[in-house]
Amino acid sequence: MRKLTLFLTPFILLNILFAFGLILPEYEKKKVIRIDELDVIPYEAELKIKIMDNFVIAELTQTFLNKKNRNAEGIFKFPLPEGMDIIGFATWDGSQRIPGVILEKRKAIQIYEELRARAIDPGILLPTSRNIFTAKITPIFPYSTKLLELQFAGLLPEIDNGVKFLLPLSPSEISSFPLRKLKVSLIVLGKDKIDDISVSGIPVKLQKSDGKYTGDVQLENIELHKSLMIEYTYAQDINPVSVSIAQENDDVYGLALFSPPIVEYKQKISAIILADISASVKSNFSQVMTSAIETAELANEFDILCFNDSIYEYSGNQFVSQTSGLKQFFSDITPAFGTNLLSALNSGYKRLENTDGRKVLVLITDGVPTVGEIGKNMITGLVKSHSDIPIYVIAMGTRIADQLLLELTEYSDGAILFIPSGATDTEVADEIERVIKPYIQRKPTTVNKIECDDGKILDIYPKKLRVFGGIQGALSFRMNKLPSSDATLWIYTDDGGKYSAPVGEPGNIEHISRLWATGRVDFLLRKIAQQGEKDEWINEIIALSKKYTFVTPYTAFLAAPRAVLRPRVIQPADPKLVIDAPTAVRVVVELPWGEQIIAQKNEHTKMWEARFLVPQDVTDGEYRCVLTITDKSGAQWQQNQTFVVDTKPPEITAEVKPDKAYPGEEIILKVFAPQDTRTIMAKTPDGKTLKLRYNHSYSASIAHWIVSDLPAGKY
């Protein structure tokens, strides 16, 4: 992997400007709200960040406070940058941590609703749009706190030997984010030299030990306004290819990172900028305007065509210094009506017919056509017929048609930039300069194939990798065997280039196989978008999602009690506890009087059973046992369960109405019993056994008995 080396002005500046979610009421429809309008407010947070050669894993723990005197239920909204995946989710029920598990989405939603109806404390997290995740949280008790945990991970893109990680605040709804306490911890591995790291401008003192840097900072009573940003820079005299190999059981996975040399276009650039001003991007209109103005400055000649169901034109010719004119043009526009994407593309291509030099289209949109031709075939067909004109997409909004937009860039040898929801205008401008500028001004390189001289590469994702000069691309692959440490990986490109890097020693790096799995899922999702759903593809997506714990459109995280203890009331003669833990392969019960029992699975009921007797010296009362549960991957978690020891038999009062009856008439047996009475049985004179059930109308447990053909007498 790449090492950070010292150069002329060596430093890594790590500005952590924070990224957190909010719990919003389900009924809230306002686009922008104040923090004091919320029933549940952010209270405390802890953020742990670990960076391993451009791969980041972040753990966020957030505490929320219900400041009202009633139960609260809400939607937790959390945005992620492009390339990141949620890989862990947990809620807390008081002092008990309830970790989330990946389930098929429909099943997770069904279980969530069932548990909520039973007043059990569940949480569910699933994607609502591209890289915006929501979790339903219920209930949050009056004047109490609620703790949530999120873990997310991904490979940070490298551009011109620099890496930036941008993670915004909760999308668009709120302008500031107060916290009573915030702690940020940082671990950096694989870097040779770090000079400066700061958290919101506050320096973090770093300590180096065993090849890693660690540091932390704690802030109190702060208010956050910006996104989390991690930024660091490499030296420029490094190999354009680096390779990592890892083995997982019998499978071998690899990751190749490739940054081709920079080759800039020499011609002048004529750009048509298509800016979406439909109702669906109204909340992002400022970012649309910023994107258009910043992109216009990159071209020698440009026209801006704003579109919804009509076209509004701004002819710029040379940019010179037209910022004020452009701002005035946009100030006269109010986003409204539908999106006619086909009409906008047609207008852009016609306008480019009369230009010379390098012709490009820049499309700023969420990519959801709603008027005119809304089917994708005519839209993609139009782009294919103009494949010599690249399309560079700046995608933004809360509902992005990512598959359609990706296809438009692929058919035209273009590229796409996803703007995180909630990004500020300044952050958008920085991303245009950092990403869109090299896209427009540099030649792309396509990887034709990769080979290893010791082993066969079985599959690779993405299938086609197009990389712009100086911008790092990532290839995840699987091999038929583990190559030797002195093996070489070769990358071949469409321009005749041949690049290589040593494989080196394999590492125990979990993210290598995870990146292959996410690449495989992306490939299957593309096939589904193009060809429709097939059970085998969906089942594979769900299986990979469960194995590597990341959320897909077909899966969700469900955080609910993983074991239910039955019965809750124990008598000394009770022979066993029954534990409902469907994902477990082993359950150990530690009883409060020191006894530890390995539960046995009943193959008929699929329940775990732990047989024991309550010692005679145990007094009546509530007791806590600890369940240690192991799943098939070897992961363990502990869960506390309570039960009641009750040695006193119920004291009951019984009535029989009427007290005189003839054969064939009905008698009602009515019993008044304490609330903790579990079962009441009655044996009738003719030998039948009846089970009495509680009836609200009688405020008692009752059973109905038809008097049989008994001889007259007293029974």
Side-chain angles (χ1 to χ4, degrees), residues 2 26-27 30 60 152 156 193 211 260 279 293 324 345 388 445 467 519 527 535 571 581 622 633 695 704:
R2 300 187 176 192
E26 290 191 85
Y27 56 81
K30 294 169 62 176
L60 173 64
F152 48 96
L156 302 177
K193 177 65 176 178
I293 293 173
S324 59
L345 289 168
D388 58 324
T445 298
V467 193
K527 293 185 71 172
D535 289 343
Q571 295 179 5
E622 184 175 276
S633 68
N695 186 298
H704 298 269

Side-chain angles (χ1 to χ4, degrees), residues 140-366:
I140 308 170
F141 298 111
Y143 305 116
S144 67
T145 58
K146 186 71 173 180
L147 193 64
L148 295 178
E149 293 180 24
L150 277 179
Q151 187 178 47
F152 48 96
L155 188 66
L156 302 177
E158 182 181 321
I159 300 176
D160 293 341
N161 307 111
V163 178
K164 180 186 283 188
F165 175 38
L166 190 69
L167 190 59
L169 297 177
S170 187
S172 310
E173 281 91 356
I174 200 157
S175 58
S176 64
F177 204 101
L179 283 172
R180 188 181 75 92
K181 185 182 296 183
L182 170 69
K183 182 178 180 180
V184 179
S185 303
L186 181 70
I187 298 176
V188 184
L189 304 170
K191 311 299 178 193
D192 291 337
K193 177 65 176 178
I194 298 177
D195 279 359
D196 297 307
I197 292 182
S198 65
V199 174
S200 228
I202 300 174
V204 180
K205 186 177 181 181
L206 291 177
Q207 296 180 342
K208 186 175 183 180
S209 175
D210 298 327
K212 68 179 180 181
Y213 289 90
T214 59
D216 60 70
V217 64
Q218 185 163 304
L219 308 173
E220 295 184 359
N221 299 318
I222 61 171
E223 192 162 336
L224 312 175
H225 298 275
K226 298 181 180 180
S227 305
L228 178 149
M229 185 174 70
I230 302 173
E231 190 172 17
Y232 53 90
T233 306
Y234 289 102
Q236 296 186 6
D237 56 342
I238 56 177
N239 192 330
V241 180
S242 64
V243 184
S244 298
I245 296 288
Q247 187 167 15
E248 183 181 281
N249 300 322
D250 295 330
D251 294 314
V252 177
Y253 299 96
L255 174 67
L257 303 177
F258 174 49
S259 298
I262 297 173
V263 179
E264 294 192 347
Y265 289 103
K266 301 300 182 183
Q267 313 102 301
K268 75 171 187 179
I269 297 173
S270 298
I272 299 298
I273 301 164
L274 304 176
D276 189 343
I277 56 167
S278 63
S280 63
V281 298
K282 187 173 183 179
S283 61
N284 299 97
F285 181 60
S286 178
Q287 291 91 335
V288 170
M289 179 184 71
T290 299
S291 299
I293 293 173
E294 294 295 326
T295 306
E297 192 169 2
L298 303 177
N300 302 103
E301 295 181 357
F302 73 94
D303 286 340
I304 295 179
L305 306 182
C306 291
F307 68 95
N308 42 33
D309 58 358
S310 304
I311 302 290
Y312 305 86
E313 302 181 8
Y314 182 96
S315 181
N317 294 324
Q318 293 186 332
F319 186 84
V320 192
S321 179
Q322 301 192 56
T323 304
S324 59
L326 282 169
K327 287 184 176 179
Q328 181 60 48
F329 167 69
F330 278 102
S331 69
D332 295 333
I333 292 174
T334 301
F337 311 110
T339 307
N340 194 328
L341 185 56
L342 182 66
S343 173
L345 289 168
N346 253 322
S347 299
Y349 286 130
K350 288 179 180 178
R351 188 62 64 92
L352 283 172
E353 290 175 359
N354 301 319
T355 63
D356 54 7
R358 172 166 153 72
K359 303 177 182 182
V360 301
L361 270 179
V362 178
L363 177 59
I364 307 167
T365 182
D366 60 6

